[in-house]
Amino acid sequence: MIPEDWIIKPLKTVSSMNGRIGWQGLKQEEFTFNEGDPFLITGMNFKDGKIRWGEVYHIPEKRYQEAKNIQLKEDDILMTKDGTIGKLLYVENIPFPGKASLNSHLLVFRPLNHTYEPKFLFYQLSSKQFADYVDLNKSGSTFFGITQEAIGNYKAYLPSLPEQKAIAQILSDMDAEITALEQKRDKYKAIKQGMMQELLTGKTRLISSS
């Protein structure tokens, strides 16, 4: 049940959705690791809703300027629409040089007329409801994809902006707590591995041998 004061609208009426249209003869040698050049984001760079910037290729400035509507901005939402469909990413910041563009197979979402809080929509698109919608509307037999039209027809549920911000903040806080717990778990796992090495090789004794 959706509260009566929430608005339900097709995603295409509240958000722009843009992706790359062709590369105009881009060559393999134009992909570099030159840190002074703009980044080129692909779906392979997504991990747990974030970008692994250290693995991202760079492209020349002229290639970055060719497609201004997909020049990345903070608070953008990215989604894979081909292959592994529905992987999502929220852009919190863009490292030096502060410029990034998108490869094919990605869409970038931005609010139209301040209709939604980007982090709120990110969480809504991360929900099981949207995942089920994508699964129902995807096409293909071995290489799956979903059309931009189908994505645009998804019904977005939008409370007031203040409520969107409050919801997004709570979920962000929960994400931060989960990350802290996972880091603590990883630390204890490392300690356990070290202790196993000590105990199982006899370097540390629990009972005196005498």
Side-chain angles (χ1 to χ4, degrees), residues 61-97:
E61 176 72 22
K62 65 178 182 179
R63 292 295 188 179
Y64 170 75
Q65 294 295 342
E66 284 177 354
K68 295 186 181 298
N69 62 341
I70 56 171
Q71 292 176 354
L72 221 55
K73 303 176 181 178
E74 292 183 1
D75 297 322
D76 278 348
I77 302 167
L78 306 183
M79 188 188 106
T80 55
K81 60 184 180 69
D82 299 297
T84 306
I85 312 171
K87 289 172 63 177
L88 289 156
L89 185 147
Y90 178 78
V91 181
E92 294 185 350
N93 59 76
I94 305 171
F96 175 83

Side-chain angles (χ1 to χ4, degrees), residues 28-38 56-60:
Q28 181 67 35
E29 56 265 28
E30 294 184 74
F31 293 90
T32 73
F33 281 106
N34 182 358
E35 295 184 358
D37 288 336
V56 180
Y57 280 114
H58 296 258
I59 53 173

Side-chain angles (χ1 to χ4, degrees), residues 36-158:
D37 288 336
F39 291 101
L40 177 67
I41 309 300
T42 75
M44 297 294 291
N45 304 133
F46 289 25
K47 183 175 175 62
D48 300 327
K50 296 183 180 180
I51 299 174
R52 296 179 290 190
W53 291 104
E55 301 176 8
V56 180
Y57 280 114
H58 296 258
I59 53 173
E61 176 72 22
K62 65 178 182 179
R63 292 295 188 179
Y64 170 75
Q65 294 295 342
E66 284 177 354
K68 295 186 181 298
N69 62 341
I70 56 171
Q71 292 176 354
L72 221 55
K73 303 176 181 178
E74 292 183 1
D75 297 322
D76 278 348
I77 302 167
L78 306 183
M79 188 188 106
T80 55
K81 60 184 180 69
D82 299 297
T84 306
I85 312 171
K87 289 172 63 177
L88 289 156
L89 185 147
Y90 178 78
V91 181
E92 294 185 350
N93 59 76
I94 305 171
F96 175 83
K99 297 179 179 180
S101 188
L102 304 181
N103 204 347
S104 53
H105 313 303
L106 293 176
L107 282 178
V108 56
F109 298 85
R110 291 172 183 150
L112 297 174
N113 302 317
H114 307 287
T115 45
Y116 64 79
E117 179 72 16
K119 200 65 176 283
F120 173 84
L121 184 67
F122 168 74
Y123 283 119
Q124 187 168 141
L125 298 182
S126 301
S127 68
K128 184 178 183 301
Q129 179 177 333
F130 183 69
D132 289 344
Y133 177 86
V134 169
D135 193 55
L136 184 64
N137 288 274
K138 68 184 180 183
S139 59
S141 55
T142 56
F143 186 81
F144 293 105
I146 185 169
T147 65
Q148 189 166 320
E149 180 181 5
I151 297 170
N153 288 332
Y154 174 75
K155 298 296 192 296
Y157 299 162
L158 302 174

Side-chain angles (χ1 to χ4, degrees), residues 2-21:
I2 302 300
E4 292 183 358
D5 58 327
W6 285 31
I7 298 172
I8 304 175
K9 287 188 174 182
L11 188 54
K12 62 187 176 184
T13 66
V14 297
S15 182
S16 66
M17 297 178 292
N18 293 301
R20 177 170 294 282
I21 304 175

Side-chain angles (χ1 to χ4, degrees), residues 71 91 113 173 177-178 195:
Q71 292 176 354
V91 181
N113 302 317
D173 290 345
E177 183 66 22
I178 290 170
M195 184 60 69

